[in-house]
Amino acid sequence: MKRILKETVYTPDSELLSFGELLRSMGRDLLASRELAWRLLVRNINAQYRQSFLGYFWAFIPPLFTTVIWIFLNSQKILDVGDTGMPYPLFVLTGTVLWQTFADALESPLKIVSESKSMLAKINFPREALILTSIGQVVFNFAIRLVLLIGAFAWYSVEPSPTILLVPLGILSMILLGTMVGLLLTPIGILYQDVGKAIAIGTQAWFFLTPVIYPMPQASWAQTLVGLNPVTPLLQTTREWLITGHATQLYGFIWISAASMVLLFCGWVLYRIAMPHLIARMSA
Amino acid sequence: MSEEVLVKAEGVSKRFCRSLKRSLWYGVQDIGNELIGRKGDQGTLRKNEFWAVNNITFELKRGQCLGLIGPNGAGKSTLLKMLNGLIKPDQGHITMRGRVGALIELGAGFNPILTARENIYVNGSILGFSKKEIDHKFDAILDFAELEEFVDTPVQNFSSGMKVRLGFSIAAQMEPDILIIDEVLAVGDVGFVAKCFGFISQLLPTCAVIFVSHSMPNISRICSRVLVIDGGRAVYAGADVSKGIETFFSRFQLSGHTTTYSSSKAMVKRVEIEGAGQGETLVLKYGDDFKLHVFCFVDAEIHEFSMNLLIFDQSQNGIIFASSYYAEDKLINRSEHNHIVVDLGKVCLKSGIYSIDISITDRNMIDLLAQVKGIAQFQVNSTFTGYAPVQLQGVWKNISDRAN
């Protein structure tokens, strides 16, 4: 019996011209890439700390360190953030963990694609696998930090609100937003290293424009600025779901999540159609 | 013989840019063009660009093996990347039918600090195997690679040859319709390379194979047709493999590559081949008498000397060696007037271009007095098309008594 052979045609035409075909192959590749993404994720996690003595301990250090610094600054009244409605260490720790998850998601796509250059330039595998790996890694890092959060909640004997069940949704939204921005920047970031450096500095500035270590400001222009920041409603809402149970920015949360999903799809299309041009310029 | 065309390239071209800065900027432009839905061929070269692959057309059916040869930078790898769908052509059309297996970089995605076992799973997934398939093939992979005892060793402790072994063994589990092989066997040891060739030969009847190598013996061993490219263009395409290989070698300027060593005691003046004409290229036919005349000077002090002759093919493999010392023919010195004739019987070489080295030593072949590498070149035309360098007609007879 004769098999029906899959026929692939490569032409200079833009893939957007046959959009239906593009969508079909995106769906197909996404399905095909699940197992590979899992393998790559396991590989990266396994390799991450294997050559270190303290191992996973390193995953806890950054949020702990940041938290301790802000607690110190606040307790010494060097920086007075006012009333946060909960123990300040808990406030900072949840904020930092959530922020770090967003920042991870933002940096991860460009990092993973850069690290996989030699693979990309030589093997035709479903490129979606790298995005899935990137998301998986962010989720994994979050899971590790979750241990810290649980510990802190126990320590302060704060009883989480029942809305805690919505928290995974909040985390997911933050990861989607970060991945979306990161993915949109990836093609140009592979061409120009400026992007990677700008992301590193930009993330730091962004941190201070987000109510991570301070509550939502009441002063006019600071409030506008922080309010314009798309991370604000996501982070605020997630933290509120976690602790107070009363979401103050639900409307912003919903529309930013929806917009991130639409833009994430655009980023995915861009990533796909840019890839051959990026590979042509990768050293192999 | 199946008539299915599996690979079809029509007028395929790809442009590359010489300057990095510009290349990056063109990259941004190209992505922009994709976004606005560009259609059709990109006909013009922008500043600093050149055609890395220029108007290549070929077809490959199941069961055929195409040897892709050309000097470094000819565009072979770029063409392969387009066939594999990694980069897009700027002009033309490529149609690939069936599963493509590419042995381009073996072991891409190996993580050095993970063990061979872990890397087999990772690399297998990259090549498109499911975990179940790898579980199933795991022993076959290790067995083919002959690395059973290192299965839990981190790959960073592997030698480059071992990594290639492992990579090839994983890739060898693919069951492709189209197999692309890009010069991957260069670091394997003899035993493993032989094994790989055995494996490729097994796949050949059911596959369309595209094979890139700089090793002409390997090309002529497995390829049924060749495509020679230079500067991105096809300079030969066809089923005559030896003609293709000749075309490839003719891209290199071999003449003028004479290196001479002369002590004050001897000097080789020139070499002639009887019946081969004069000038740059001497031409011989298979089966002609093979007689060389060597004119040389040897210092009068020396009473008797020896002469050696080496004939090389285009790949610089030594094919023929002859020595007056081993022939025990005495060459008595006539100083300025030495005219030596050596009779090598009949020409029994396959078609190709050959070069001659001559050296003069003392009688006992201890001191080298003079040596000229590439003193003459000659071409052999033969109706034989086998791949071994020496071709004999032989005398054939069936000596069995039985009629049936």
Side-chain angles (χ1 to χ4, degrees):
Chain A
M1 206 187 76
K2 223 168 168 179
R3 277 183 307 141
I4 295 177
L5 295 176
K6 194 184 130 202
E7 188 172 283
T8 322
V9 180
Y10 302 111
T11 66
D13 298 346
S14 164
E15 283 186 73
L16 286 180
L17 291 171
S18 39
F19 197 66
E21 178 50 39
L22 178 66
L23 284 183
R24 267 193 297 281
S25 52
M26 282 168 74
R28 199 172 46 227
D29 286 353
L30 186 65
L31 283 179
S33 64
R34 286 171 308 174
E35 185 156 343
L36 172 57
W38 178 250
R39 278 279 145 218
L40 292 177
L41 181 64
V42 172
R43 175 195 73 172
N44 292 353
I45 291 172
N46 272 335
Q48 198 171 11
Y49 298 113
R50 190 167 287 189
Q51 211 175 355
S52 96
F53 188 70
L54 295 174
Y56 288 104
F57 177 69
W58 290 110
F60 298 107
I61 295 297
L64 262 186
F65 200 65
T66 327
T67 309
V68 167
I69 289 175
W70 293 110
I71 294 172
F72 171 76
L73 292 178
N74 193 47
S75 66
Q76 300 303 306
K77 303 285 175 218
I78 299 172
L79 177 102
D80 193 359
V81 297
D83 182 28
T84 54
M86 63 187 87
Y88 186 67
L90 198 57
F91 179 86
V92 176
L93 192 65
T94 40
T96 320
V97 166
L98 292 177
W99 169 262
Q100 199 57 51
T101 304
F102 167 77
D104 273 359
L106 173 63
E107 285 172 5
S108 184
L110 180 57
K111 204 172 130 226
I112 286 203
V113 175
S114 298
E115 282 167 0
S116 312
K117 272 184 182 176
S118 71
M119 237 165 78
L120 283 165
K122 275 146 196 160
I123 303 178
N124 195 347
F125 62 94
R127 276 70 173 90
E128 282 71 14
L130 294 182
I131 310 178
L132 291 184
T133 309
S134 152
I135 295 177
Q137 225 160 331
V138 176
V139 171
F140 176 78
N141 289 343
F142 170 75
I144 287 185
R145 294 187 193 117
L146 198 59
V147 177
L148 274 184
L149 272 189
I150 294 171
F153 270 78
W155 179 265
Y156 288 97
S157 359
V158 173
E159 201 172 305
S161 147
T163 46
I164 193 170
L165 294 173
L166 290 169
V167 167
L169 200 64
I171 304 290
L172 185 70
S173 273
M174 298 199 69
I175 294 177
L176 289 188
L177 176 70
T179 306
M180 180 272 282
V181 179
L183 196 59
L184 281 172
L185 291 173
T186 295
I188 189 93
I190 291 293
L191 291 177
Y192 292 101
Q193 294 185 347
D194 312 46
V195 176
K197 297 189 199 307
I199 288 180
I201 294 175
T203 318
Q204 272 181 30
W206 203 339
F207 172 81
F208 289 104
L209 286 178
T210 312
V212 178
I213 47 158
Y214 54 83
M216 204 52 200
Q218 301 305 320
S220 57
W221 70 268
Q223 191 184 14
T224 320
L225 203 58
V226 172
L228 282 175
N229 174 356
V231 188
T232 304
L234 301 190
L235 193 136
Q236 282 288 84
T237 307
T238 313
R239 185 157 51 189
E240 284 159 358
W241 276 340
L242 194 61
I243 299 166
T244 63
H246 174 64
T248 51
Q249 300 192 25
L250 197 58
Y251 179 69
F253 177 88
I254 291 170
W255 91 257
I256 288 192
S257 304
S260 340
M261 271 193 262
V262 174
L263 286 173
L264 180 63
F265 177 77
C266 298
W268 180 13
V269 172
L270 174 70
Y271 168 78
R272 254 189 97 97
I273 63 176
M275 197 46 82
H277 301 286
L278 303 180
I279 290 175
R281 287 161 180 87
M282 281 175 189
S283 58
Chain B
M1 185 81 174
S2 165
E3 286 301 296
E4 269 180 293
V5 177
L6 296 186
V7 183
K8 196 170 180 183
E10 295 156 279
V12 173
S13 303
K14 179 79 194 168
R15 51 193 181 172
F16 270 157
C17 182
R18 287 192 184 87
S19 134
L20 176 68
K21 277 268 158 77
R22 257 178 219 286
S23 162
L24 297 178
W25 179 236
Y26 292 155
V28 176
Q29 289 179 353
D30 287 346
I31 295 171
N33 282 334
E34 289 280 341
L35 288 176
I36 58 168
R38 170 190 74 185
K39 196 173 167 61
D41 291 351
Q42 304 301 300
T44 50
L45 290 178
R46 294 165 287 192
K47 199 180 165 193
N48 274 347
E49 280 190 325
F50 65 98
W51 291 110
V53 171
N54 196 347
N55 199 12
I56 299 282
T57 299
F58 70 91
E59 248 186 32
L60 203 60
K61 292 174 183 151
R62 199 186 284 281
Q64 291 183 329
C65 176
L66 177 78
L68 185 56
I69 52 183
N72 294 132
K76 304 182 293 287
S77 294
T78 308
L79 181 59
L80 289 193
K81 279 187 183 172
M82 284 192 281
L83 294 175
N84 199 10
L86 297 172
I87 58 180
K88 285 175 81 162
D90 282 318
Q91 289 182 354
H93 213 84
I94 298 171
T95 314
M96 306 283 279
R97 303 185 65 224
R99 244 171 91 127
V100 181
L103 304 181
I104 292 188
E105 166 99 336
L106 296 171
F110 276 174
N111 185 310
I113 68 172
L114 296 184
T115 64
R117 183 190 303 277
E118 289 165 303
N119 273 310
I120 288 177
Y121 279 94
V122 174
N123 196 253
S125 309
I126 295 171
L127 297 175
F129 296 122
S130 68
K131 173 159 189 304
K132 231 195 219 155
E133 283 176 292
I134 305 171
D135 284 338
H136 187 67
K137 290 169 170 173
F138 193 84
D139 290 331
I141 292 171
L142 272 190
D143 186 50
F144 194 93
E146 299 167 33
L147 292 169
E148 285 91 344
E149 48 187 314
F150 301 106
V151 64
D152 289 312
T153 307
V155 166
Q156 64 184 352
N157 296 348
F158 279 27
S159 71
S160 50
M162 285 160 80
K163 278 182 215 158
V164 168
R165 264 167 187 258
L166 190 61
F168 189 94
S169 310
I170 301 168
Q173 302 299 318
M174 291 188 287
E175 285 149 17
D177 296 295
I178 303 165
L179 182 65
I180 299 175
I181 308 170
D182 187 4
E183 191 75 278
V184 286
L185 300 174
V187 283
D189 59 33
V190 183
F192 192 70
V193 170
K195 203 166 172 179
C196 295
F197 272 105
F199 165 77
I200 294 168
S201 315
Q202 262 178 29
L203 277 184
L204 261 176
T206 57
C207 257
V209 181
I210 300 169
F211 183 69
V212 174
S213 177
H214 287 291
S215 156
M216 294 308 128
N218 288 347
I219 291 281
S220 43
R221 192 159 145 201
I222 65 169
C223 296
S224 51
R225 48 204 305 115
V226 281
L227 174 64
V228 186
I229 59 177
D230 193 7
R233 288 172 183 281
V235 289
Y236 176 83
D240 187 345
V241 176
S242 32
K243 179 129 188 280
I245 293 176
E246 269 169 47
T247 316
F248 169 67
F249 279 118
S250 70
R251 310 310 287 180
F252 303 101
Q253 280 298 319
L254 281 177
S255 56
H257 262 251
T258 317
T259 47
T260 311
Y261 161 76
S262 294
S263 68
S264 53
K265 289 180 180 164
M267 192 176 81
V268 183
K269 293 176 189 161
R270 66 176 205 279
V271 173
E272 286 172 7
I273 304 176
E274 221 171 280
Q278 302 276 323
E280 275 287 290
T281 19
L282 310 169
V283 183
L284 287 170
K285 273 217 317 277
Y286 180 88
D288 280 356
D289 285 336
F290 200 3
K291 247 182 211 171
L292 264 64
H293 295 250
V294 183
F295 299 88
C296 63
F297 153 79
V298 178
D299 193 295
E301 271 178 24
I302 296 165
H303 171 65
E304 193 187 328
F305 62 94
S306 293
M307 182 173 282
N308 307 296
L309 165 94
L310 258 166
I311 295 180
F312 291 89
D313 70 6
Q314 286 149 309
S315 316
Q316 296 302 305
N317 297 315
I319 303 292
I320 291 178
F321 172 71
S323 165
S324 66
Y325 176 76
Y326 291 112
E328 293 177 19
D329 287 336
K330 283 186 179 176
L331 299 177
I332 306 296
N333 189 10
R334 301 277 179 267
S335 185
E336 281 293 339
H337 308 289
N338 292 309
H339 174 176
I340 317 289
V341 182
V342 51
D343 187 345
L344 297 170
K346 305 281 185 199
V347 176
C348 60
L349 298 168
K350 76 160 172 176
S351 294
I353 294 174
Y354 298 86
S355 70
I356 303 174
D357 289 7
I358 299 280
S359 63
I360 300 172
T361 62
D362 69 331
R363 189 182 54 157
N364 296 317
M365 238 172 81
I366 293 167
D367 288 332
L368 181 66
L369 303 177
Q371 184 179 42
V372 188
K373 290 183 180 289
I375 190 168
Q377 290 196 22
F378 62 95
Q379 187 182 332
V380 174
N381 292 330
S382 162
T383 47
F384 274 71
T385 49
Y387 114 85
V390 174
Q391 320 224 316
L392 303 175
Q393 275 171 327
V395 180
W396 307 76
K397 220 178 271 174
N398 186 346
I399 57 165
S400 166
D401 297 337
R402 292 157 69 171
N404 199 347

